[in-house]
Amino acid sequence: MKKKKAAPKKPTPKAADSAIAAKRAKAYSDMESHVCDLVNMGTIAMDQFDKDNGLFIFAVGKLEDMLNEFKAHYYAEEFGI
């Protein structure tokens, strides 16, 4: 008698949820330093608000660039719902 090969097991919903949660946790952990950089640049921009117009414009422009890069990286992650 020939034995049939077992079909590969599909991940259970609980296992799939656990894998998604682990992926999200790592992504959020990886994001921490970027969020801190954004906060620091926002602080620098606010510090320059009433001082030097050139530095304020530079800081706000740099903050915008950083936010756009952060947004692009964040939305590049794919998470199942």
Side-chain angles (χ1 to χ4, degrees), residues 24-55:
R24 284 182 178 165
K26 178 164 179 8
Y28 291 138
S29 175
D30 292 346
M31 246 189 265
E32 184 177 3
S33 66
H34 299 286
V35 171
C36 290
D37 289 344
L38 292 170
V39 170
N40 290 335
M41 184 52 70
T43 301
I44 291 168
M46 287 306 299
D47 185 54
Q48 296 302 315
F49 181 71
D50 286 334
K51 294 180 182 175
D52 184 338
N53 193 35
L55 288 177

Side-chain angles (χ1 to χ4, degrees), residues 41 44-45 48 52-66:
M41 184 52 70
I44 291 168
Q48 296 302 315
D52 184 338
N53 193 35
L55 288 177
F56 174 72
I57 291 171
F58 168 78
V60 171
K62 179 66 175 168
L63 180 58
E64 178 186 23
D65 293 342
M66 291 171 69

